[in-house]
Coordinates of all heavy atoms in Angstrom, one line a residue:
M22 N 0.8 -1.1 0.0 CA 0.0 0.0 0.0 C 0.9 1.2 0.0 O 1.7 1.4 0.8 CB -0.9 0.0 1.2 CG -2.0 0.9 1.2 SD -3.3 0.2 2.3 CE -3.8 1.7 3.1
S23 N 0.7 2.1 -1.0 CA 1.6 3.2 -1.1 C 1.1 4.4 -0.3 O -0.1 4.4 0.2 CB 1.7 3.6 -2.6 OG 0.4 4.1 -3.1
V24 N 1.9 5.4 -0.2 CA 1.6 6.6 0.5 C 0.5 7.3 -0.2 O -0.4 7.9 0.4 CB 2.9 7.5 0.7 CG1 2.5 8.8 1.3 CG2 3.9 6.7 1.5
D25 N 0.5 7.3 -1.5 CA -0.5 8.0 -2.3 C -1.8 7.4 -2.0 O -2.8 8.1 -2.0 CB -0.2 8.0 -3.8 CG 1.1 8.7 -4.2 OD1 1.4 9.7 -3.4 OD2 1.8 8.4 -5.2
L26 N -1.9 6.2 -1.9 CA -3.2 5.5 -1.7 C -3.7 5.8 -0.4 O -4.9 6.0 -0.2 CB -3.0 3.9 -1.9 CG -4.3 3.1 -1.8 CD1 -5.3 3.6 -2.9 CD2 -4.0 1.7 -2.0
V27 N -2.9 5.8 0.6 CA -3.3 6.2 2.0 C -3.8 7.6 2.1 O -4.8 7.9 2.7 CB -2.1 5.9 3.0 CG1 -2.5 6.4 4.4 CG2 -1.8 4.5 3.1
T28 N -3.1 8.5 1.4 CA -3.4 9.9 1.4 C -4.8 10.1 0.7 O -5.6 10.9 1.2 CB -2.3 10.7 0.6 OG1 -1.1 10.5 1.2 CG2 -2.7 12.2 0.7
E29 N -5.0 9.4 -0.4 CA -6.3 9.4 -1.1 C -7.4 8.9 -0.2 O -8.5 9.5 -0.1 CB -6.2 8.6 -2.4 CG -7.5 8.8 -3.2 CD -7.4 7.9 -4.4 OE1 -6.3 7.6 -4.9 OE2 -8.5 7.6 -5.0
M30 N -7.2 7.8 0.5 CA -8.2 7.2 1.3 C -8.5 8.2 2.5 O -9.7 8.4 2.8 CB -7.7 5.9 2.0 CG -7.9 4.8 1.0 SD -7.5 3.1 1.7 CE -7.0 3.4 3.4
C31 N -7.5 8.8 3.1 CA -7.8 9.7 4.1 C -8.5 11.0 3.7 O -9.4 11.4 4.4 CB -6.4 10.1 4.8 SG -5.7 8.8 5.8
S32 N -8.2 11.5 2.5 CA -8.8 12.7 2.0 C -10.3 12.3 1.7 O -11.2 13.2 1.9 CB -8.1 13.3 0.8 OG -8.1 12.4 -0.3
Q33 N -10.5 11.2 1.2 CA -11.9 10.7 0.8 C -12.7 10.6 2.2 O -13.9 11.0 2.2 CB -11.9 9.3 0.1 CG -12.1 9.4 -1.3 CD -12.2 8.0 -1.9 OE1 -11.7 7.1 -1.4 NE2 -13.0 7.9 -3.0
A34 N -12.1 10.0 3.2 CA -12.8 9.9 4.4 C -13.1 11.2 5.1 O -14.2 11.4 5.6 CB -11.9 9.0 5.4
L35 N -12.2 12.2 5.0 CA -12.4 13.4 5.6 C -13.5 14.2 4.8 O -14.4 14.9 5.4 CB -11.2 14.3 5.6 CG -10.2 13.9 6.7 CD1 -8.8 14.7 6.5 CD2 -10.7 14.1 8.0
Y36 N -13.5 14.1 3.5 CA -14.5 14.7 2.7 C -15.9 14.1 3.0 O -16.9 14.8 3.2 CB -14.2 14.5 1.1 CG -15.3 15.1 0.3 CD1 -15.5 16.4 0.1 CD2 -16.2 14.2 -0.4 CE1 -16.5 16.9 -0.7 CE2 -17.1 14.7 -1.2 CZ -17.2 16.0 -1.4 OH -18.2 16.5 -2.2
I37 N -16.0 12.8 3.2 CA -17.3 12.2 3.5 C -17.7 12.6 4.9 O -18.9 12.9 5.1 CB -17.2 10.6 3.5 CG1 -17.0 10.1 2.1 CG2 -18.4 9.9 4.1 CD1 -18.1 10.3 1.2
V38 N -16.8 12.8 5.9 CA -17.2 13.2 7.2 C -17.7 14.7 7.2 O -18.7 15.0 7.8 CB -16.0 13.1 8.1 CG1 -16.2 13.8 9.4 CG2 -15.7 11.6 8.5
I39 N -17.0 15.5 6.5 CA -17.4 16.9 6.3 C -18.8 17.0 5.6 O -19.7 17.7 6.1 CB -16.3 17.8 5.6 CG1 -15.1 17.9 6.5 CG2 -16.9 19.1 5.3 CD1 -14.0 18.4 5.9
K40 N -18.9 16.3 4.5 CA -20.2 16.3 3.7 C -21.3 15.8 4.5 O -22.4 16.3 4.4 CB -20.0 15.5 2.5 CG -21.2 15.7 1.5 CD -20.8 15.0 0.2 CE -21.0 13.6 0.2 NZ -21.0 12.9 -1.1
T41 N -21.1 14.8 5.4 CA -22.1 14.2 6.1 C -22.6 15.0 7.4 O -23.8 15.2 7.7 CB -21.8 12.8 6.6 OG1 -21.4 12.0 5.4 CG2 -22.9 12.1 7.3
A42 N -21.6 15.6 8.0 CA -21.9 16.4 9.2 C -22.3 17.8 8.9 O -22.9 18.5 9.8 CB -20.6 16.5 10.1
A43 N -22.0 18.3 7.7 CA -22.3 19.8 7.4 C -23.8 20.2 7.6 O -24.0 21.2 8.1 CB -21.8 20.1 6.0
P44 N -24.7 19.4 7.0 CA -26.1 19.9 7.2 C -26.6 20.1 8.7 O -27.2 21.1 9.0 CB -26.9 18.8 6.6 CG -26.1 18.1 5.6 CD -24.7 18.2 6.2
V45 N -26.2 19.1 9.6 CA -26.6 19.2 11.0 C -25.8 20.4 11.6 O -26.5 21.2 12.3 CB -26.2 17.9 11.7 CG1 -26.5 18.0 13.2 CG2 -27.0 16.8 11.1
L46 N -24.6 20.6 11.3 CA -23.8 21.7 11.9 C -24.4 23.0 11.4 O -24.4 24.0 12.2 CB -22.3 21.5 11.6 CG -21.7 20.3 12.3 CD1 -20.3 20.2 11.7 CD2 -21.7 20.5 13.7
L47 N -24.7 23.1 10.1 CA -25.2 24.4 9.6 C -26.5 24.8 10.1 O -26.8 25.9 10.5 CB -25.3 24.3 8.1 CG -23.9 24.4 7.3 CD1 -24.1 24.1 5.8 CD2 -23.2 25.7 7.6
V48 N -27.4 23.8 10.3 CA -28.7 24.0 10.9 C -28.6 24.5 12.3 O -29.2 25.4 12.8 CB -29.6 22.8 10.8 CG1 -30.8 22.9 11.7 CG2 -30.1 22.6 9.4
S49 N -27.7 23.8 13.1 CA -27.4 24.2 14.5 C -26.9 25.6 14.5 O -27.3 26.5 15.4 CB -26.5 23.3 15.1 OG -26.2 23.6 16.5
L50 N -26.0 26.0 13.6 CA -25.4 27.3 13.6 C -26.4 28.3 13.3 O -26.4 29.4 13.9 CB -24.3 27.3 12.6 CG -23.6 28.6 12.3 CD1 -22.6 29.0 13.4 CD2 -22.8 28.7 11.0
V51 N -27.2 28.1 12.3 CA -28.2 29.1 11.9 C -29.2 29.3 13.0 O -29.6 30.4 13.3 CB -28.9 28.7 10.6 CG1 -30.1 29.6 10.3 CG2 -27.9 28.8 9.4
I52 N -29.7 28.3 13.6 CA -30.7 28.4 14.7 C -30.1 29.2 15.9 O -30.7 30.0 16.5 CB -31.2 27.0 15.1 CG1 -32.0 26.3 14.0 CG2 -32.1 27.1 16.4 CD1 -33.2 27.1 13.6
G53 N -28.8 28.8 16.2 CA -28.2 29.5 17.3 C -28.0 31.0 17.0 O -28.1 31.8 17.9
L54 N -27.6 31.3 15.8 CA -27.5 32.7 15.4 C -28.8 33.5 15.5 O -28.8 34.6 16.0 CB -26.8 32.8 14.0 CG -26.5 34.1 13.5 CD1 -25.4 34.8 14.3 CD2 -26.1 34.1 12.0
L55 N -29.9 32.8 15.0 CA -31.1 33.5 15.0 C -31.6 33.7 16.5 O -32.1 34.8 16.8 CB -32.2 32.7 14.3 CG -32.0 32.6 12.7 CD1 -33.0 31.7 12.1 CD2 -32.1 34.0 12.1
I56 N -31.4 32.8 17.3 CA -31.8 32.9 18.7 C -30.9 34.0 19.4 O -31.4 34.8 20.2 CB -31.8 31.6 19.4 CG1 -33.0 30.7 18.8 CG2 -32.0 31.7 20.9 CD1 -32.9 29.3 19.3
S57 N -29.6 34.0 19.0 CA -28.8 35.0 19.7 C -29.1 36.4 19.3 O -29.2 37.3 20.1 CB -27.3 34.7 19.2 OG -26.9 33.5 19.8
I58 N -29.5 36.6 18.0 CA -30.0 37.8 17.5 C -31.3 38.3 18.2 O -31.5 39.4 18.7 CB -30.2 37.9 16.0 CG1 -28.8 37.8 15.3 CG2 -31.0 39.1 15.5 CD1 -28.9 37.6 13.8
F59 N -32.2 37.3 18.4 CA -33.5 37.5 19.2 C -33.2 37.9 20.6 O -33.8 38.8 21.1 CB -34.4 36.3 19.0 CG -35.6 36.4 19.9 CD1 -36.7 37.1 19.4 CD2 -35.7 35.7 21.1 CE1 -37.8 37.2 20.2 CE2 -36.8 35.7 21.8 CZ -37.9 36.5 21.4
Q60 N -32.3 37.2 21.1 CA -31.9 37.6 22.6 C -31.3 39.0 22.7 O -31.5 39.7 23.6 CB -30.9 36.6 23.2 CG -31.6 35.3 23.6 CD -30.6 34.3 24.1 OE1 -29.4 34.3 23.7 NE2 -31.0 33.5 25.1
T61 N -30.5 39.3 21.7 CA -29.9 40.7 21.7 C -31.0 41.8 21.5 O -30.9 42.8 22.2 CB -28.8 40.8 20.6 OG1 -27.9 39.8 20.8 CG2 -28.2 42.1 20.6
V62 N -31.8 41.6 20.6 CA -32.9 42.6 20.3 C -33.8 42.7 21.5 O -34.3 43.8 21.9 CB -33.7 42.2 19.0 CG1 -34.9 43.0 18.9 CG2 -32.8 42.3 17.8
T63 N -34.2 41.6 22.2 CA -35.2 41.7 23.2 C -34.5 41.8 24.6 O -35.3 41.9 25.6 CB -36.1 40.4 23.2 OG1 -35.3 39.3 23.4 CG2 -36.9 40.4 22.0
S64 N -33.2 41.8 24.7 CA -32.5 41.9 25.9 C -32.8 40.8 26.9 O -32.7 41.0 28.2 CB -32.7 43.3 26.6 OG -32.3 44.3 25.8
I65 N -33.1 39.6 26.4 CA -33.3 38.4 27.2 C -31.9 37.8 27.4 O -31.2 37.5 26.4 CB -34.2 37.5 26.6 CG1 -35.6 38.1 26.4 CG2 -34.3 36.2 27.3 CD1 -36.6 37.2 25.6
Q66 N -31.5 37.6 28.6 CA -30.2 37.0 28.8 C -30.3 35.6 29.4 O -29.6 35.2 30.2 CB -29.4 37.9 29.8 CG -29.2 39.3 29.3 CD -28.3 39.3 28.1 OE1 -27.4 38.5 27.9 NE2 -28.7 40.2 27.1
E67 N -31.2 34.8 28.9 CA -31.4 33.4 29.3 C -30.4 32.5 28.5 O -30.5 32.4 27.3 CB -32.8 33.0 29.1 CG -33.1 31.6 29.6 CD -32.9 31.4 31.1 OE1 -33.1 32.4 31.8 OE2 -32.5 30.3 31.5
Q68 N -29.6 31.8 29.2 CA -28.6 31.0 28.5 C -29.2 29.6 28.0 O -28.7 29.1 27.0 CB -27.4 30.6 29.5 CG -26.6 31.8 29.8 CD -25.9 32.5 28.6 OE1 -25.4 31.8 27.8 NE2 -25.9 33.8 28.7
T69 N -30.2 29.2 28.6 CA -30.8 28.0 28.2 C -31.8 28.1 27.1 O -32.3 27.1 26.6 CB -31.5 27.3 29.4 OG1 -32.5 28.1 29.9 CG2 -30.5 26.9 30.5
L70 N -32.1 29.3 26.6 CA -33.0 29.5 25.6 C -32.6 28.9 24.2 O -33.4 28.5 23.4 CB -33.3 31.0 25.4 CG -34.4 31.4 24.5 CD1 -35.7 30.9 24.9 CD2 -34.4 32.9 24.4
T71 N -31.3 28.8 24.0 CA -30.9 28.2 22.7 C -30.9 26.7 22.7 O -30.9 26.1 21.6 CB -29.4 28.7 22.4 OG1 -28.6 28.3 23.4 CG2 -29.4 30.3 22.2
S72 N -30.9 26.1 23.8 CA -30.8 24.6 23.9 C -31.9 23.9 23.2 O -31.7 23.0 22.4 CB -30.6 24.2 25.3 OG -29.6 24.8 25.9
V73 N -33.2 24.2 23.6 CA -34.3 23.4 23.2 C -34.5 23.6 21.6 O -34.7 22.6 20.9 CB -35.5 23.8 24.0 CG1 -36.8 23.1 23.3 CG2 -35.4 23.4 25.4
P74 N -34.5 24.8 21.1 CA -34.6 24.9 19.6 C -33.5 24.2 18.8 O -33.8 23.7 17.8 CB -34.6 26.4 19.3 CG -35.1 27.0 20.6 CD -34.5 26.1 21.7
K75 N -32.3 24.3 19.4 CA -31.2 23.6 18.7 C -31.4 22.1 18.6 O -31.2 21.4 17.7 CB -29.9 24.0 19.3 CG -29.2 25.3 18.9 CD -27.9 25.3 19.5 CE -27.1 26.5 19.0 NZ -25.8 26.5 19.6
I76 N -31.8 21.6 19.8 CA -32.0 20.2 19.9 C -33.1 19.7 19.0 O -33.0 18.7 18.3 CB -32.3 19.7 21.4 CG1 -31.0 19.9 22.2 CG2 -32.8 18.3 21.4 CD1 -31.3 19.7 23.7
I77 N -34.2 20.4 19.0 CA -35.3 20.1 18.1 C -34.9 20.2 16.6 O -35.2 19.3 15.8 CB -36.5 21.0 18.4 CG1 -37.1 20.6 19.8 CG2 -37.6 20.8 17.3 CD1 -38.1 21.6 20.3
S78 N -34.2 21.3 16.3 CA -33.8 21.4 14.9 C -32.8 20.4 14.4 O -32.9 19.9 13.3 CB -33.2 22.9 14.6 OG -32.0 23.1 15.4
V79 N -31.9 20.0 15.3 CA -30.9 19.0 15.0 C -31.6 17.6 14.8 O -31.4 16.8 13.9 CB -29.8 18.9 16.0 CG1 -29.0 17.6 15.9 CG2 -28.9 20.1 15.8
F80 N -32.6 17.3 15.7 CA -33.4 16.1 15.6 C -34.2 16.0 14.3 O -34.1 15.0 13.6 CB -34.3 16.0 16.8 CG -35.2 14.8 16.8 CD1 -34.6 13.5 17.0 CD2 -36.5 14.9 16.6 CE1 -35.4 12.4 17.1 CE2 -37.3 13.8 16.6 CZ -36.8 12.5 16.8
L81 N -34.8 17.2 13.9 CA -35.6 17.2 12.6 C -34.6 17.0 11.5 O -35.0 16.3 10.5 CB -36.4 18.5 12.6 CG -37.6 18.6 13.5 CD1 -38.2 20.0 13.4 CD2 -38.6 17.5 13.2
T82 N -33.5 17.7 11.5 CA -32.5 17.5 10.4 C -32.0 16.1 10.3 O -31.9 15.5 9.2 CB -31.3 18.4 10.6 OG1 -31.8 19.8 10.8 CG2 -30.4 18.4 9.5
L83 N -31.8 15.4 11.4 CA -31.4 14.0 11.4 C -32.5 13.1 10.8 O -32.2 12.2 10.1 CB -30.9 13.6 12.8 CG -29.6 14.1 13.3 CD1 -29.3 13.6 14.7 CD2 -28.5 13.6 12.3
M84 N -33.7 13.5 11.2 CA -34.8 12.7 10.7 C -35.0 12.9 9.2 O -35.3 11.9 8.4 CB -36.1 13.1 11.4 CG -36.3 12.6 12.8 SD -37.8 13.0 13.6 CE -39.0 12.4 12.4
L85 N -34.8 14.1 8.7 CA -35.0 14.3 7.2 C -33.8 13.8 6.4 O -34.0 13.3 5.3 CB -35.2 15.9 7.0 CG -36.5 16.4 7.5 CD1 -36.5 18.0 7.4 CD2 -37.7 15.8 6.8
L86 N -32.6 14.0 6.9 CA -31.4 13.7 6.1 C -30.6 12.5 6.6 O -29.6 12.1 6.1 CB -30.5 14.9 6.2 CG -31.0 16.2 5.5 CD1 -29.9 17.3 5.7 CD2 -31.3 16.0 4.1
G87 N -31.3 11.7 7.6 CA -30.5 10.6 8.1 C -30.3 9.5 7.1 O -29.2 8.9 7.1
E88 N -31.3 9.2 6.3 CA -31.1 8.2 5.2 C -30.0 8.6 4.3 O -29.1 7.7 3.9 CB -32.3 8.0 4.5 CG -32.3 6.9 3.4 CD -33.6 6.8 2.6 OE1 -34.5 7.6 2.8 OE2 -33.5 5.9 1.7
W89 N -29.9 9.8 3.8 CA -28.9 10.3 2.9 C -27.5 10.2 3.6 O -26.5 9.7 3.0 CB -29.2 11.8 2.6 CG -28.0 12.4 1.8 CD1 -27.8 12.2 0.5 CD2 -27.1 13.3 2.3 NE1 -26.6 13.0 0.2 CE2 -26.2 13.6 1.3 CE3 -26.9 13.9 3.6 CZ2 -25.2 14.5 1.4 CZ3 -25.8 14.8 3.7 CH2 -25.0 15.0 2.6
M90 N -27.4 10.6 4.9 CA -26.1 10.5 5.7 C -25.7 9.1 5.8 O -24.5 8.7 5.6 CB -26.3 11.1 7.0 CG -26.6 12.6 7.0 SD -27.2 13.3 8.5 CE -25.7 13.4 9.4
L91 N -26.6 8.2 6.1 CA -26.3 6.8 6.2 C -25.8 6.2 4.9 O -24.9 5.4 4.8 CB -27.5 6.0 6.8 CG -27.3 4.5 7.1 CD1 -26.2 4.4 8.2 CD2 -28.5 3.9 7.6
N92 N -26.5 6.6 3.8 CA -26.1 6.1 2.5 C -24.7 6.5 2.1 O -24.0 5.8 1.5 CB -27.2 6.5 1.5 CG -28.4 5.7 1.5 OD1 -28.4 4.6 2.0 ND2 -29.5 6.3 1.1
N93 N -24.4 7.8 2.5 CA -23.0 8.3 2.2 C -22.0 7.5 2.9 O -21.0 7.0 2.4 CB -22.9 9.8 2.6 CG -23.3 10.7 1.6 OD1 -23.5 10.4 0.5 ND2 -23.6 11.9 2.0
M94 N -22.2 7.2 4.2 CA -21.2 6.5 5.0 C -21.1 5.1 4.7 O -20.1 4.5 4.5 CB -21.6 6.6 6.5 CG -21.4 8.1 7.1 SD -21.7 8.2 8.8 CE -23.4 8.1 8.9
S95 N -22.3 4.4 4.4 CA -22.3 3.0 4.0 C -21.7 2.8 2.7 O -21.1 1.8 2.4 CB -23.6 2.3 4.2 OG -24.6 3.0 3.4
G96 N -22.0 3.7 1.7 CA -21.4 3.6 0.4 C -19.8 3.7 0.5 O -19.1 3.0 -0.3
F97 N -19.4 4.6 1.3 CA -17.9 4.7 1.4 C -17.3 3.5 2.1 O -16.2 3.0 1.6 CB -17.5 5.9 2.3 CG -16.0 6.1 2.5 CD1 -15.2 6.4 1.4 CD2 -15.5 6.0 3.8 CE1 -13.9 6.6 1.7 CE2 -14.2 6.2 4.0 CZ -13.3 6.5 2.9
M98 N -18.0 2.9 3.1 CA -17.5 1.7 3.7 C -17.6 0.5 2.7 O -16.6 -0.4 2.8 CB -18.3 1.4 5.0 CG -17.9 2.3 6.2 SD -16.2 2.4 6.5 CE -15.8 0.7 7.0
T99 N -18.6 0.5 2.0 CA -18.7 -0.6 0.9 C -17.5 -0.5 0.0 O -16.9 -1.5 -0.4 CB -20.0 -0.5 0.2 OG1 -21.1 -0.6 1.2 CG2 -20.2 -1.7 -0.8
E100 N -17.2 0.7 -0.4 CA -16.1 0.9 -1.4 C -14.8 0.5 -0.7 O -14.0 -0.1 -1.4 CB -16.1 2.4 -1.8 CG -15.0 2.8 -2.7 CD -15.0 4.3 -3.1 OE1 -16.0 4.9 -3.0 OE2 -13.9 4.8 -3.4
L101 N -14.6 0.8 0.5 CA -13.4 0.5 1.2 C -13.2 -1.0 1.3 O -12.2 -1.6 1.1 CB -13.3 1.1 2.6 CG -12.9 2.5 2.7 CD1 -13.0 3.0 4.2 CD2 -11.6 2.8 2.1
W102 N -14.4 -1.7 1.7 CA -14.3 -3.2 1.9 C -14.2 -3.9 0.5 O -13.6 -5.0 0.4 CB -15.5 -3.7 2.7 CG -15.3 -3.5 4.1 CD1 -15.9 -2.6 4.8 CD2 -14.4 -4.2 5.0 NE1 -15.6 -2.6 6.1 CE2 -14.6 -3.6 6.2 CE3 -13.4 -5.1 4.8 CZ2 -13.9 -4.0 7.4 CZ3 -12.7 -5.6 5.9 CH2 -13.0 -5.0 7.1
S103 N -14.7 -3.3 -0.5 CA -14.6 -4.0 -1.9 C -13.2 -3.9 -2.4 O -12.8 -4.8 -3.2 CB -15.6 -3.4 -2.9 OG -15.3 -2.0 -3.1
D104 N -12.4 -2.9 -2.0 CA -11.1 -2.7 -2.5 C -10.1 -3.2 -1.4 O -8.9 -2.9 -1.5 CB -10.7 -1.2 -2.8 CG -11.5 -0.7 -3.9 OD1 -12.0 -1.5 -4.7 OD2 -11.7 0.6 -4.0
F105 N -10.5 -4.1 -0.5 CA -9.6 -4.5 0.5 C -8.4 -5.3 0.0 O -7.3 -5.2 0.6 CB -10.4 -5.4 1.5 CG -9.7 -5.7 2.8 CD1 -9.5 -4.6 3.7 CD2 -9.2 -6.9 3.0 CE1 -8.9 -5.0 4.9 CE2 -8.6 -7.2 4.2 CZ -8.4 -6.2 5.1
S106 N -8.6 -6.0 -1.0 CA -7.4 -6.8 -1.6 C -6.3 -5.8 -2.1 O -5.1 -6.2 -2.0 CB -7.9 -7.7 -2.7 OG -8.4 -7.0 -3.8
V107 N -6.7 -4.7 -2.5 CA -5.7 -3.7 -3.0 C -4.9 -3.2 -1.8 O -3.7 -2.9 -1.9 CB -6.4 -2.5 -3.8 CG1 -5.4 -1.5 -4.1 CG2 -7.0 -3.1 -5.0
Y108 N -5.6 -3.0 -0.7 CA -4.9 -2.4 0.5 C -3.9 -3.3 1.2 O -3.1 -2.8 1.8 CB -6.0 -1.9 1.5 CG -7.0 -1.0 0.9 CD1 -8.4 -1.1 1.3 CD2 -6.7 -0.1 0.0 CE1 -9.3 -0.2 0.8 CE2 -7.7 0.8 -0.5 CZ -9.0 0.7 -0.1 OH -9.9 1.5 -0.7
I109 N -4.1 -4.6 1.1 CA -3.2 -5.5 1.9 C -2.0 -5.8 1.1 O -1.1 -6.5 1.6 CB -4.0 -6.8 2.3 CG1 -4.5 -7.6 1.1 CG2 -5.1 -6.5 3.4 CD1 -5.2 -8.9 1.5
R110 N -1.9 -5.5 -0.1 CA -0.7 -5.7 -0.9 C 0.4 -4.8 -0.4 O 0.4 -3.8 0.0 CB -1.0 -5.4 -2.4 CG -1.5 -6.7 -3.0 CD -1.4 -6.5 -4.5 NE -2.8 -6.6 -5.0 CZ -3.3 -6.2 -6.0 NH1 -2.6 -5.5 -6.8 NH2 -4.5 -6.5 -6.5

């Protein structure tokens, strides 16, 4: 197994991780930002106000995009296991 092959596998894995995690992280970021703006405008200084909407939005995002995320990860793992004979050389 060459260094180029390992580098390519690692870059593919990182790309899949970023692509899979990005929707959940972006939704959490946007909801947190909107609630922070709301808190600033209304002068509400409650720290726990962001928790519940973030949890609900992340849960809904996982429900909507969970199948796509699982297909991405399992497709990558299937590709890795199908090329296993190349890796052990």
Side-chain angles (χ1 to χ4, degrees):
M22 197 155 135
S23 69
V24 174
D25 294 334
L26 187 58
V27 172
T28 305
E29 182 183 339
M30 278 183 4
C31 288
S32 67
Q33 262 187 327
L35 286 174
Y36 176 72
I37 292 293
V38 166
I39 291 170
K40 187 171 83 168
T41 304
V45 176
L46 294 174
L47 287 175
V48 165
S49 178
L50 176 77
V51 168
I52 296 297
L54 183 65
L55 290 174
I56 292 173
S57 295
I58 291 172
F59 174 74
Q60 284 180 325
T61 303
V62 168
T63 59
S64 298
I65 298 174
Q66 298 300 321
E67 181 65 32
Q68 295 297 323
T69 60
L70 185 63
T71 61
S72 303
V73 174
K75 273 186 175 180
I76 290 171
I77 291 171
S78 64
V79 166
F80 180 71
L81 290 174
T82 304
L83 286 174
M84 284 180 56
L85 292 173
L86 298 176
E88 181 184 2
W89 172 78
M90 294 166 78
L91 185 61
N92 286 336
N93 275 342
M94 292 184 287
S95 61
F97 180 66
M98 286 307 297
T99 303
E100 182 182 328
L101 283 179
W102 282 108
S103 66
D104 294 339
F105 191 72
S106 62
V107 174
Y108 305 142
I109 58 174
R110 276 193 234 157

